[in-house]
Amino acid sequence: MTDVYLNGIFMNADQARISPMDRGFLFADGVYEVIPAFNGVLFRLNEHLLRLQRSLGALQIPNPHAADAWQALCKEMIGRNGGGNISVYLQVTRGAPDKRDHGFPVPAVPPTVFMATSPVAPSAISNSATAPGAAAIVAEDIRWARCDIKAVALLPNILLRQQAIAAGAVEAILIRDGLVTEGSSTNVFVVKDGRIATPPCTPRILAGVTRELVVELCRNHELPLVEREVTKEQLYDADEIWVTSSSKDALPIVTLDARPVGNGRPGALWKTLARRFLELKRAACSIA
Ligand code: PDD
């Protein structure tokens, strides 16, 4: 049994209770982050906490903790749950007032803070020479117009992911108005003729912490990257496709709608990127 954190108290997961009046339960009125740790060391914590602040700000929920308090809570969660390669899930909702009402509670009630951990499996970059790559499908983006907020309201993402699973794939790559936005829980990169492209950060996508890291790695190692719109046709025509997230790092997509991407194997640019990504992660998390 793992330890979780709920409103100031660490406890066994089966002891945790929230009110059914919680606005997270009634309205999905809350935000979250998933922060990975490797070798017990939090990776890109500040970037995750800055995005948490932006998401809370967009919902006008006061941030219940300063950055150093969040850091201490995350470390405690990792320590209590065995360290190693583990991700911290944290969620903040608008709290549990006495009555259900769409408007914000007056007076305001304290936000509900919940944290849990789960193990992180080794990603494709840890073995880039032999990584097989993964399958994806293409689907219409049926989400709302503020996908830049990391809100717990994930019903469209869940349905899209399930559509991918039903097709034997790991991810759904989403299209809005003929343009690639992102994956159901990842950001998307495409490669054509040696050039890398990823859709720009707009309210249509989540500004992924891993996306930003991959952009940085490309810039620092002279891998030619542009942030620009990518059409559905360009997606189908890509030599390589990668999807990125805190749990997947950068995963090569080798089939799209059951058709091979490029030669159907992880591409040369992905392999270069994967080596750089792994170097950085090892250095940042003191992995021998
Ligand atoms: N998902 N886009 C969406 C819609 C996401 O849900 C996520 C993350 C990403 C990648 O963001 P990052 O690189 O910061 O993890 C992009 C998390 C992992 C989740 O929902 O579990």
Side-chain angles (χ1 to χ4, degrees):
M1 183 57 61
T2 61
D3 275 10
V4 301
Y5 170 91
L6 182 62
N7 296 332
I9 303 169
F10 292 95
M11 63 189 86
N12 229 281
D14 63 359
Q15 300 300 305
R17 300 280 180 275
I18 62 154
S19 163
M21 297 309 289
D22 196 283
R23 291 178 64 100
F25 179 68
L26 292 176
F27 297 122
D29 186 359
V31 301
Y32 75 107
E33 281 293 330
V34 179
I35 309 171
F38 304 103
N39 193 27
V41 182
L42 287 156
F43 188 58
R44 298 259 147 169
L45 175 69
N46 289 343
E47 288 79 356
H48 284 279
L49 292 181
L50 284 170
R51 186 173 62 192
L52 174 68
Q53 179 58 56
R54 289 201 303 274
S55 298
L56 287 168
L59 268 57
Q60 300 172 50
I61 296 177
N63 194 334
H65 299 297
D68 53 355
W70 278 122
Q71 179 170 19
L73 289 172
C74 289
K75 284 187 173 166
E76 177 81 24
M77 284 297 290
I78 291 166
R80 283 174 176 260
N81 289 293
N85 299 336
I86 191 168
S87 68
V88 179
Y89 174 84
L90 71 84
Q91 170 171 334
V92 181
T93 78
R94 203 181 305 279
D98 297 341
K99 64 178 193 337
R100 180 184 179 279
D101 187 347
H102 284 56
F104 296 175
V106 180
V109 293
T112 300
V113 180
F114 174 67
M115 299 170 81
T117 59
S118 35
V120 179
S123 78
I125 67 163
S126 20
N127 224 328
S128 54
T130 55
I137 61 164
V138 176
E140 271 305 305
D141 194 339
I142 55 172
R143 301 172 304 157
W144 70 330
R146 289 303 307 275
C147 296
D148 55 320
I149 302 171
K150 201 159 172 56
V152 294
L154 289 174
L155 194 48
N157 308 62
I158 287 167
L159 294 177
L160 290 160
R161 169 60 59 81
Q162 195 55 37
Q163 204 178 316
I165 292 169
V170 304
E171 182 57 305
I173 298 181
L174 309 180
I175 307 291
R176 194 186 288 249
D177 301 332
L179 301 174
V180 175
T181 51
E182 59 183 335
S184 72
S185 69
T186 56
N187 292 109
V188 176
F189 291 73
V190 297
V191 177
K192 184 69 185 172
D193 297 331
R195 283 193 289 273
I196 308 159
T198 192
C201 285
T202 66
R204 293 176 165 211
I205 73 167
L206 185 75
V209 171
T210 320
R211 175 193 176 283
E212 196 51 42
L213 175 60
V214 169
V215 168
E216 258 175 56
L217 282 171
C218 289
R219 300 229 158 104
N220 293 344
H221 297 288
E222 281 152 25
L223 303 175
L225 173 128
V226 281
E227 295 178 65
R228 64 156 170 88
E229 298 297 356
V230 174
T231 66
K232 186 178 179 178
E233 291 70 32
Q234 289 166 343
L235 178 71
Y236 278 115
D237 191 39
D239 299 330
E240 299 184 30
I241 300 173
W242 320 331
V243 295
T244 65
S245 77
S246 296
S247 50
K248 294 190 171 70
D249 295 334
L251 172 69
I253 297 300
V254 293
T255 70
L256 189 64
D257 287 344
R259 293 198 290 268
V261 175
N263 64 9
R265 292 194 300 276
L269 270 173
W270 177 76
K271 285 187 179 157
T272 305
L273 184 270
R275 282 195 299 272
R276 300 302 191 184
F277 197 144
L278 190 61
E279 271 166 25
L280 183 139
K281 205 161 111 170
R282 284 199 168 130
C285 298
S286 312
I287 300 169

